[in-house]
Amino acid sequence: MGRGRQRIENPPWRQKPGSGGDGSFSVLALEEGPVFYPTEEEFRDPLRFIAQIREQSESYGICRIVPPASWKPPFAIESESFIFPTKHQSIHQLQERTAACDGVTFRLEYSRYLEGEGRQLEAWPMLEGEALDLCKLYNAVKRHGGYNKVRDEKKWAEVFRMVKNDHPFAPVATDSVQACLSEVYESHLHGYEVHQANVSAGKLLQMSKSRGMDKTKPVGRKRQGEEEQQEEMQGGKRRKSGEGVEVVAVESAGVTAAGTEEQRADQICEQCHSGAHEKSMLLCDLCNRGWHLYCLSPPLSAIPHGNWYCLECLASENDSFGFAQGREYSYESFQRFADRFRRKWFASRSSPPSNSDVEADFWRIVERGTEPVEVLYGSDIDTGLYGSGFPRASDRVPHGFEAEAWEGYVKDPWNLNNFPKLEDSMLRMVQDDIPGVIVPWLYMGMMFSSFCWHYEDHCFYSINYLHRGAPKTWYSVPGSAASEFEQVMQKSFPDLFEAQPDLLFQLVTMLNPIVLRDSNVPVCTTTQVRLGG
């Protein structure tokens, strides 16, 4: 995600705003990212072409490159023998903020709040002859920026649609219903919203104090009293329960801190394989493996508040975070499963669903979580182990494909297996085959499977090619707005960031881009389609 530049007004490549790459209308009506159509000559040198379009693209954070019609790389995976692992992705949980999103937990928390205020709720208020779900109302108002923003911007009609689980294009609520919602929220929930905001602010203040955020304190300062005794009892391990411990500065080459030679190496960093600087070691609360704070990507300046989990455990079956381990599938069996799911989902519709229909249903599930929706996702498949969609020298030439043409695509510079080793690429200096950086990942998705909001690894550019399947919708924020983006995400998911400070590197959380746009964060979209489709 690079630093964006000023956008060029009315660029020649610009599509009609709101139009998807498959010709359908984008339900969110976001601004379209640029689309480029290089000539045969321009397409021969990928890095040179990317340098040419950089100025126009960086201010959007994304672009789409449509290859010349003559460029048709074969799909190198043998569908009969290709077997890959999958994960279960819980779409309805991709935007879970706090426990208050769960109706039962909300009742408990809300009842405790009322007790603290010396009140109790005799009966839930009514709306149009039915008991009003205060949990849905509370989260719908929070989704639209809180009570003050909903009141000032008159968004009660949008809140009503979320409470009633209606389609985004459903008729708006009547004036009387909107007035009723406003009155109910002000009477029952506004005080609770303020209370929850104060609780979150208090947690953040306490967390900043416990992390030693006061810059006047010396780095490497030791704890005293009971905390120092507790550290000694733990054998010097840096555990998450040790809140208030300040980070020990990393020694420069040739400089040794007092007592370093006597340190016990009973906890080894999984990244640098060193047991030094144990006080800077962070342990996963699930697998108990350790990493130095400065060895993480991105590095952390202090011990996170609450539980912290390593990347491997985030995707494990033991603690799903929306991604529980599934079984292995062949390419054909996975395709049958995905096609069957899509047919059943849209069985009641008379016409084939468009990309905008899928997009609308996706955000309805994510934002309202009215029912569990779980899909399979073959994510982060290591092409070094399972095979690549692009042809490689070690692959067998398929029947019916000319050997000479196959060899051309094996060596093609746009073949993502070759991209990191191009002559002008700085990645040529990397000697290790790092999955996702030097060795491409392969993704096998179905309808609703999602590559969530994230920063790219090391904030590099990312390049993706769609070999087969339905159109894929992308959303992006330019690097110049990274700070504003993170602020909105932290405001939307305070508890998640509190438990996982590097949440935006974890690919587990979705937020409707409309929320970003309404918060003045520049956001755009593009729809990727396969060649010939």
Side-chain angles (χ1 to χ4, degrees):
M1 189 180 288
R3 302 296 297 178
R5 304 186 185 185
Q6 184 177 4
R7 295 186 179 181
I8 299 175
E9 297 297 327
N10 300 318
W13 37 258
R14 191 171 181 175
Q15 289 181 306
K16 180 181 178 181
S19 64
D22 64 341
S24 64
F25 181 80
S26 173
V27 69
L28 302 183
L30 297 171
E31 185 175 9
E32 289 287 323
V35 183
F36 298 95
Y37 298 83
T39 64
E40 298 272 0
E41 182 179 352
E42 291 173 328
F43 196 68
R44 291 193 185 102
D45 190 337
L47 296 184
R48 182 179 180 183
F49 180 73
I50 289 173
Q52 290 175 348
I53 65 174
R54 176 178 177 177
E55 184 174 0
Q56 295 171 310
S57 302
E58 276 195 342
S59 58
Y60 289 82
I62 199 170
C63 73
R64 187 157 56 95
I65 299 172
V66 181
S70 60
W71 196 75
K72 298 178 180 180
F75 185 51
I77 287 176
E78 296 183 0
S79 57
E80 300 83 6
S81 59
F82 178 61
I83 308 280
F84 60 93
T86 63
K87 298 171 185 174
H88 294 277
Q89 189 177 39
S90 299
I91 304 303
H92 62 290
Q93 293 180 337
L94 291 180
Q95 191 174 282
E96 281 196 343
R97 294 179 174 86
T98 66
C101 286
D102 171 69
V104 176
T105 307
F106 175 84
R107 283 175 178 263
L108 291 174
E109 293 184 352
Y110 184 60
S111 296
R112 289 171 184 162
Y113 161 74
L114 292 178
E115 289 176 6
E117 295 289 309
R119 299 185 290 143
Q120 62 179 2
L121 187 64
E122 299 292 343
W124 285 46
M126 304 292 289
L127 180 69
E128 295 187 321
E130 298 179 352
L132 178 60
D133 190 330
L134 292 183
C135 177
K136 288 183 179 179
L137 176 58
Y138 175 74
N139 285 294
V141 171
K142 290 283 287 182
R143 153 66 174 81
H144 285 90
Y147 172 73
N148 292 334
K149 187 171 184 178
V150 171
R151 178 199 60 197
D152 296 343
E153 299 183 7
K154 297 180 174 57
K155 292 190 174 184
W156 291 110
E158 289 86 346
V159 169
F160 175 76
R161 284 202 296 268
M162 290 191 69
V163 170
K164 301 296 287 185
N165 301 320
D166 286 339
H167 191 277
F169 297 119
V172 298
T174 62
D175 291 342
S176 61
V177 168
Q178 294 183 50
C180 181
L181 276 180
S182 177
E183 182 180 349
V184 168
Y185 195 92
E186 185 174 3
S187 300
H188 295 279
L189 294 173
H190 185 214
Y192 179 68
E193 178 187 324
V194 174
H195 168 75
Q196 290 294 92
N198 290 336
V199 169
S200 295
K203 286 182 179 179
L204 291 174
L205 178 61
Q206 181 63 33
M207 182 170 58
S208 65
K209 289 181 179 179
S210 68
R211 289 179 179 177
M213 297 299 284
D214 186 349
K215 295 183 179 180
T216 62
K217 296 179 181 179
V219 176
R221 179 178 175 181
K222 293 183 179 179
R223 297 182 298 179
Q224 297 178 349
E226 293 181 359
E227 294 183 16
E228 190 168 2
Q229 294 175 8
Q230 181 182 0
E231 183 182 25
E232 292 173 357
M233 291 174 64
Q234 292 179 344
K237 285 187 181 181
R238 182 62 180 270
R239 296 186 182 274
K240 298 258 290 326
S241 58
E243 296 177 12
V245 184
E246 295 180 349
V247 182
V248 178
V250 181
E251 289 90 14
S252 59
V255 180
T256 306
T260 297
E261 295 153 353
E262 298 178 4
Q263 284 185 339
R264 291 185 299 273
D266 58 345
Q267 184 67 47
I268 302 299
C269 174
E270 297 293 322
Q271 178 65 28
C272 69
H273 307 294
S274 169
H277 311 140
E278 288 180 294
K279 293 182 180 180
S280 295
M281 196 79 72
L282 177 60
L283 303 187
C284 174
D285 281 301
L286 194 60
C287 68
N288 212 39
R289 292 183 298 164
W291 284 262
H292 290 118
L293 293 172
Y294 49 81
C295 285
L296 294 169
S297 179
L300 295 182
S301 60
I303 297 295
H305 180 76
N307 292 335
W308 180 85
Y309 304 94
C310 67
L311 289 175
E312 185 173 328
C313 289
L314 279 171
S316 74
E317 57 186 345
N318 298 319
D319 202 26
S320 67
F321 294 90
F323 293 86
Q325 202 66 35
R327 69 178 182 88
E328 291 188 336
Y329 279 80
S330 68
Y331 177 85
E332 291 182 339
S333 63
F334 184 85
Q335 186 176 39
R336 287 195 299 270
F337 181 91
D339 289 344
R340 184 166 59 248
F341 175 83
R342 186 183 181 94
R343 286 196 304 270
K344 287 184 176 180
W345 186 269
F346 291 111
S348 61
R349 307 204 182 189
S350 57
S351 58
S354 66
N355 199 51
S356 60
D357 292 329
V358 176
E359 186 179 22
D361 279 6
F362 172 81
W363 287 114
R364 178 180 60 80
I365 297 165
V366 169
E367 294 199 297
R368 304 173 194 183
T370 55
E371 58 185 9
V373 178
E374 193 174 79
V375 299
L376 293 176
Y377 191 19
S379 63
D380 297 342
I381 301 172
D382 190 339
T383 56
L385 298 175
Y386 293 93
S388 171
F390 283 103
R392 300 174 301 181
S394 58
D395 295 332
R396 180 177 61 86
V397 180
H399 178 71
F401 203 92
E402 295 183 6
E404 184 177 351
W406 177 273
E407 183 65 20
Y409 285 110
V410 167
K411 298 178 180 179
D412 193 289
W414 284 94
N415 181 327
L416 297 192
N417 296 294
N418 302 329
F419 218 90
K421 301 299 182 181
L422 295 179
E423 184 176 351
D424 294 328
S425 173
M426 70 175 186
L427 294 177
R428 294 185 67 191
M429 306 300 294
V430 179
Q431 301 302 315
D432 296 329
D433 289 335
I434 304 173
V437 179
I438 303 301
V439 179
W441 291 125
L442 181 66
Y443 295 86
M444 305 295 292
M446 58 181 288
M447 190 175 74
F448 298 146
S449 58
S450 310
F451 198 66
C452 300
W453 284 112
H454 65 287
Y455 292 142
E456 290 296 342
D457 293 338
H458 305 290
C459 296
F460 285 163
Y461 283 174
S462 175
I463 183 168
N464 294 267
Y465 178 77
L466 185 61
H467 290 279
R468 288 187 176 181
K472 185 174 183 178
T473 299
W474 294 83
Y475 307 104
S476 69
V477 171
S480 56
S483 297
E484 293 86 348
F485 166 72
E486 185 164 348
Q487 288 173 7
V488 174
M489 293 290 284
Q490 288 182 342
K491 182 178 179 181
S492 301
F493 309 107
D495 290 354
L496 293 182
F497 272 91
E498 194 174 319
Q500 199 73 24
D502 58 346
L503 183 70
L504 294 178
F505 284 85
Q506 307 301 348
L507 294 164
V508 293
T509 306
M510 288 299 283
L511 179 68
N512 195 316
I514 295 299
V515 178
L516 297 170
R517 188 188 66 185
D518 290 349
S519 300
N520 298 317
V521 176
V523 59
C524 70
T525 184
T526 195
T527 303
Q528 187 179 20
V529 296
R530 62 184 176 87
L531 292 178

